[in-house]
Amino acid sequence: MTSHSSLQIFHGAKQEGFRTLGITVGKPPRHYDAFPLSKPDRWLELKDYHELMDRADELVAENVILIPHGSFVEYMGGKNYEKLPVPSFGNKQVLEWESNRTMEREWLHAAGLTMPEEIKDPKDIIQPVIVKYHGAKGGRGFFIAKNYHEFMRKIEKGQSYTIQEFVLGTRYYLHYFFSPLREQGYSVDGGILEMLSMDRRDEANIDEANRLGSINELEAVGISPTFVVTGNIPIVLRESLLPKVFDMGEKVVKESIKRFGGLVGPFCLETVVTDQLEFKVFEISARIVAGTNPYITGSPYMDLIEPNLSTGRRIAQEIRLAADAGRLGEVCS
Ligand code: AMP
């Protein structure tokens, strides 16, 4: 599917010697012509994503393995994707756990991670909060309130929402990979946990709002901050925090095994690191994230695992390893 992290996924699959099929709605985007090392060998053109359901047999006959990324699941719809009878990399059961905010919280809490505090009653707002409307997409439809009055002034009636402590610190998005197949490395439950890279998202217009004035000044002229992702910036973490990163990843994987048979492959913890050097995790994405895109030829962490690695390539390696060992069923669903 031609957005999000597709360039990287195709490139990585080709590096590992796979034939590649790009799925597109309408004509293939022209920019693939500009990137020959990422251009899929063949395109499947659809009228709309639902057509994929009708063409599942064709894909199965060609031994296709789908690599789901955020946009793909979003466009297909979670329910359709779960029903799609084409082998897909990763454990589809994770979808429900990550897309339902209550279940996601339950999972991460049970794993022992610290999350931003949730405020049930707006009257209890005594510190800055971020209010997230349910179903808000791409960081649009969130707002910040510093007290109850500001909340009441900004809230749109009739919409359901969650109120979360606004965590001040630095936003780091940690890109992990769990392999149930490899044995050499940071062992977790019979597999290994890898730390492949980290990024920070560039978000419009919050990240550059200060070019025009303080948020208060902007709001006075009717401009509210938005959190729309426009790009990704590489990050290297203060090294003494790495043990905490592995500890969090390990706990998330172990809890996922208990709850739904386990995460497989890439996942990302979205965190804010406070000035007390504490990680507060506000979300998990249980698949490849676009924040891995700055690292198509390696990251400061991947370079210490294998030169010229990317998350896309790492996925292809896992599929290759599973296929060779007759264990595809353990990494696909
Ligand atoms: P999300 O849709 O939950 O990934 O959030 C979108 C963006 O809102 C994040 O990338 C952060 O910039 C910001 N954000 C979300 N939750 C919090 C929080 N609890 N504290 C501070 N910023 C947050």
Coordinates of all heavy atoms in Angstrom, one line a residue, residues 176-214:
Y176 N 10.8 -0.5 18.5 CA 11.3 -1.8 19.0 C 11.0 -2.9 17.9 O 10.2 -2.6 17.0 CB 10.6 -2.3 20.2 CG 10.7 -1.5 21.4 CD1 9.9 -0.4 21.7 CD2 11.7 -1.8 22.4 CE1 9.9 0.3 22.9 CE2 11.8 -1.1 23.6 CZ 10.9 0.0 23.8 OH 11.0 0.7 25.0
F177 N 11.6 -4.0 18.0 CA 11.3 -5.2 17.2 C 11.3 -6.4 18.1 O 12.3 -6.6 18.8 CB 12.2 -5.3 16.0 CG 11.8 -6.3 15.0 CD1 11.2 -5.8 13.8 CD2 12.0 -7.7 15.1 CE1 10.8 -6.7 12.8 CE2 11.6 -8.5 14.1 CZ 11.0 -8.1 13.0
F178 N 10.3 -7.2 18.1 CA 10.3 -8.5 18.9 C 10.3 -9.6 17.9 O 9.4 -9.8 17.1 CB 9.1 -8.6 19.8 CG 9.2 -9.9 20.6 CD1 10.2 -10.2 21.5 CD2 8.3 -10.9 20.3 CE1 10.3 -11.4 22.1 CE2 8.3 -12.2 21.0 CZ 9.4 -12.4 21.9
S179 N 11.4 -10.4 18.0 CA 11.5 -11.6 17.2 C 11.2 -12.9 18.0 O 12.0 -13.1 19.0 CB 12.9 -11.7 16.6 OG 13.1 -13.0 16.1
P180 N 10.2 -13.6 17.7 CA 10.0 -14.9 18.5 C 10.9 -16.0 18.0 O 11.0 -17.0 18.6 CB 8.5 -15.2 18.2 CG 8.2 -14.5 16.9 CD 9.1 -13.4 16.8
L181 N 11.7 -15.7 16.9 CA 12.5 -16.7 16.3 C 14.0 -16.6 16.6 O 14.6 -17.7 16.7 CB 12.3 -16.6 14.7 CG 10.9 -16.7 14.2 CD1 10.9 -16.6 12.7 CD2 10.2 -18.0 14.6
R182 N 14.5 -15.4 16.6 CA 16.0 -15.3 16.8 C 16.3 -15.6 18.3 O 15.5 -15.4 19.2 CB 16.4 -13.9 16.5 CG 16.6 -13.7 15.0 CD 17.4 -12.4 14.8 NE 17.6 -12.2 13.3 CZ 18.1 -11.1 12.8 NH1 18.5 -10.1 13.6 NH2 18.3 -11.0 11.5
E183 N 17.5 -16.2 18.5 CA 17.9 -16.6 19.8 C 19.0 -15.8 20.4 O 19.2 -15.7 21.6 CB 18.2 -18.1 19.8 CG 17.0 -18.9 19.6 CD 17.3 -20.4 19.3 OE1 18.5 -20.7 19.2 OE2 16.4 -21.1 19.0
Q184 N 19.9 -15.2 19.6 CA 21.0 -14.4 20.0 C 20.6 -13.0 20.2 O 20.3 -12.3 19.3 CB 22.2 -14.5 19.0 CG 22.7 -15.9 18.7 CD 23.3 -16.5 19.9 OE1 24.0 -15.8 20.7 NE2 23.0 -17.8 20.2
G185 N 20.7 -12.5 21.5 CA 20.4 -11.1 21.7 C 19.8 -10.9 23.1 O 20.0 -11.6 24.0
Y186 N 19.0 -9.8 23.2 CA 18.3 -9.5 24.5 C 17.1 -10.4 24.6 O 16.1 -10.2 24.1 CB 18.0 -8.0 24.5 CG 17.5 -7.4 25.8 CD1 18.3 -6.7 26.6 CD2 16.1 -7.6 26.1 CE1 17.8 -6.2 27.8 CE2 15.6 -7.0 27.3 CZ 16.5 -6.3 28.1 OH 16.0 -5.8 29.3
S187 N 17.3 -11.5 25.4 CA 16.3 -12.6 25.4 C 15.0 -12.1 26.2 O 15.1 -11.6 27.2 CB 16.8 -13.8 26.2 OG 18.0 -14.2 25.7
V188 N 13.9 -12.4 25.5 CA 12.6 -12.2 26.2 C 11.7 -13.4 25.8 O 11.5 -13.6 24.6 CB 11.9 -10.9 25.8 CG1 10.6 -10.8 26.4 CG2 12.8 -9.7 26.2
D189 N 11.3 -14.2 26.7 CA 10.3 -15.2 26.5 C 10.6 -16.1 25.3 O 9.7 -16.3 24.4 CB 8.9 -14.6 26.3 CG 8.1 -14.7 27.6 OD1 8.6 -14.2 28.7 OD2 7.0 -15.3 27.6
G190 N 11.8 -16.6 25.2 CA 12.2 -17.5 24.1 C 12.5 -16.8 22.8 O 12.9 -17.4 21.8
G191 N 12.3 -15.5 22.7 CA 12.7 -14.7 21.5 C 13.7 -13.6 21.9 O 14.3 -13.7 22.9
I192 N 13.8 -12.6 21.0 CA 14.7 -11.5 21.4 C 14.0 -10.2 21.1 O 13.2 -10.0 20.2 CB 16.1 -11.5 20.7 CG1 16.0 -11.4 19.2 CG2 16.9 -12.8 21.0 CD1 17.3 -10.9 18.5
L193 N 14.4 -9.2 22.0 CA 13.9 -7.8 21.8 C 15.0 -7.0 21.2 O 16.1 -6.9 21.8 CB 13.4 -7.3 23.2 CG 12.9 -5.8 23.2 CD1 11.6 -5.7 22.4 CD2 12.7 -5.3 24.6
E194 N 14.7 -6.2 20.2 CA 15.7 -5.3 19.6 C 15.2 -3.9 19.7 O 14.0 -3.6 19.6 CB 15.9 -5.7 18.1 CG 16.5 -7.1 17.9 CD 16.5 -7.6 16.5 OE1 15.5 -7.3 15.8 OE2 17.5 -8.1 16.1
M195 N 16.1 -3.0 19.8 CA 15.8 -1.5 19.8 C 16.4 -1.0 18.5 O 17.6 -1.0 18.3 CB 16.5 -0.9 21.0 CG 16.7 0.6 21.0 SD 15.4 1.6 20.3 CE 14.0 1.2 21.2
L196 N 15.6 -0.7 17.5 CA 16.1 -0.4 16.1 C 16.3 1.1 15.9 O 17.3 1.5 15.3 CB 15.1 -0.9 15.1 CG 14.9 -2.4 15.0 CD1 14.0 -2.8 13.8 CD2 16.2 -3.2 14.9
S197 N 15.5 1.9 16.5 CA 15.7 3.4 16.3 C 14.7 4.2 17.1 O 13.9 3.6 17.8 CB 15.5 3.8 14.8 OG 14.3 3.3 14.2
M198 N 14.8 5.5 17.0 CA 13.9 6.4 17.8 C 13.7 7.7 16.9 O 14.6 8.0 16.1 CB 14.6 6.9 19.1 CG 14.9 5.8 20.0 SD 15.8 6.4 21.4 CE 16.4 4.8 22.1
D199 N 12.6 8.3 17.1 CA 12.4 9.6 16.4 C 11.6 10.5 17.2 O 11.1 10.1 18.3 CB 11.7 9.4 15.0 CG 10.2 9.3 15.2 OD1 9.7 8.3 15.9 OD2 9.4 10.1 14.6
R200 N 11.5 11.7 16.7 CA 10.5 12.6 17.3 C 9.7 13.1 16.1 O 10.2 13.4 15.0 CB 11.2 13.8 18.0 CG 10.2 14.9 18.3 CD 10.7 15.8 19.4 NE 11.7 16.7 19.0 CZ 12.7 17.1 19.8 NH1 12.7 16.8 21.0 NH2 13.6 17.9 19.3
R201 N 8.4 13.3 16.3 CA 7.6 13.7 15.2 C 7.6 15.3 15.1 O 7.7 15.9 16.2 CB 6.1 13.4 15.4 CG 5.9 11.9 15.4 CD 4.4 11.8 15.7 NE 4.0 10.4 15.8 CZ 2.9 10.0 16.4 NH1 2.0 10.9 16.9 NH2 2.5 8.7 16.4
D202 N 7.6 15.7 13.9 CA 7.4 17.2 13.7 C 5.9 17.4 13.6 O 5.3 16.8 12.7 CB 8.1 17.5 12.4 CG 9.0 18.7 12.6 OD1 9.0 19.3 13.7 OD2 9.6 19.1 11.6
E203 N 5.3 18.2 14.4 CA 3.9 18.4 14.4 C 3.5 19.8 14.1 O 3.9 20.7 14.8 CB 3.3 17.9 15.7 CG 3.4 16.4 15.8 CD 3.0 15.8 17.2 OE1 2.6 16.6 18.1 OE2 2.9 14.6 17.3
A204 N 2.6 20.0 13.1 CA 2.1 21.4 12.8 C 0.8 21.5 13.5 O 0.0 20.6 13.5 CB 1.9 21.5 11.3
N205 N 0.5 22.7 14.0 CA 1.4 23.8 14.0 C 2.0 24.0 15.4 O 2.8 25.0 15.6 CB 0.6 25.1 13.7 CG -0.7 25.2 14.6 OD1 -0.7 24.7 15.7 ND2 -1.7 25.9 14.1
I206 N 1.8 23.1 16.3 CA 2.3 23.3 17.7 C 3.8 23.5 17.7 O 4.3 24.3 18.5 CB 1.9 22.1 18.6 CG1 2.4 22.2 20.1 CG2 2.4 20.7 18.1 CD1 1.4 22.9 21.0
D207 N 4.6 22.7 16.9 CA 6.0 22.7 17.0 C 6.7 24.0 16.6 O 7.8 24.3 17.0 CB 6.6 21.5 16.3 CG 6.4 20.2 17.0 OD1 6.1 20.3 18.2 OD2 6.4 19.1 16.4
E208 N 6.0 24.8 15.8 CA 6.6 26.0 15.4 C 5.7 27.2 15.7 O 6.0 28.3 15.2 CB 6.9 26.0 13.9 CG 7.9 24.8 13.5 CD 9.0 25.2 12.6 OE1 9.3 26.4 12.4 OE2 9.6 24.2 12.1
A209 N 4.8 27.0 16.6 CA 3.8 28.0 16.9 C 4.6 29.2 17.5 O 4.2 30.4 17.3 CB 2.8 27.5 17.9
N210 N 5.6 29.0 18.2 CA 6.3 30.1 18.9 C 7.0 31.1 17.9 O 7.4 32.1 18.3 CB 7.3 29.5 19.9 CG 8.4 28.7 19.3 OD1 8.3 28.5 18.1 ND2 9.3 28.2 20.0
R211 N 7.0 30.7 16.7 CA 7.5 31.7 15.7 C 6.6 32.9 15.6 O 7.0 34.0 15.1 CB 7.7 31.0 14.3 CG 8.6 29.8 14.3 CD 8.8 29.3 12.9 NE 9.7 30.1 12.2 CZ 9.9 30.0 10.9 NH1 9.2 29.1 10.2 NH2 10.7 30.7 10.2
L212 N 5.3 32.7 15.9 CA 4.4 33.7 15.8 C 4.0 34.4 17.1 O 3.4 35.5 17.2 CB 3.1 33.1 15.1 CG 2.2 34.0 14.3 CD1 3.0 34.8 13.3 CD2 1.1 33.2 13.7
G213 N 4.3 33.6 18.2 CA 3.9 34.2 19.5 C 3.6 33.1 20.5 O 3.7 31.9 20.1
S214 N 3.3 33.4 21.7 CA 3.0 32.4 22.7 C 1.6 31.8 22.3 O 0.8 32.4 21.6 CB 2.9 33.0 24.1 OG 1.8 33.8 24.2

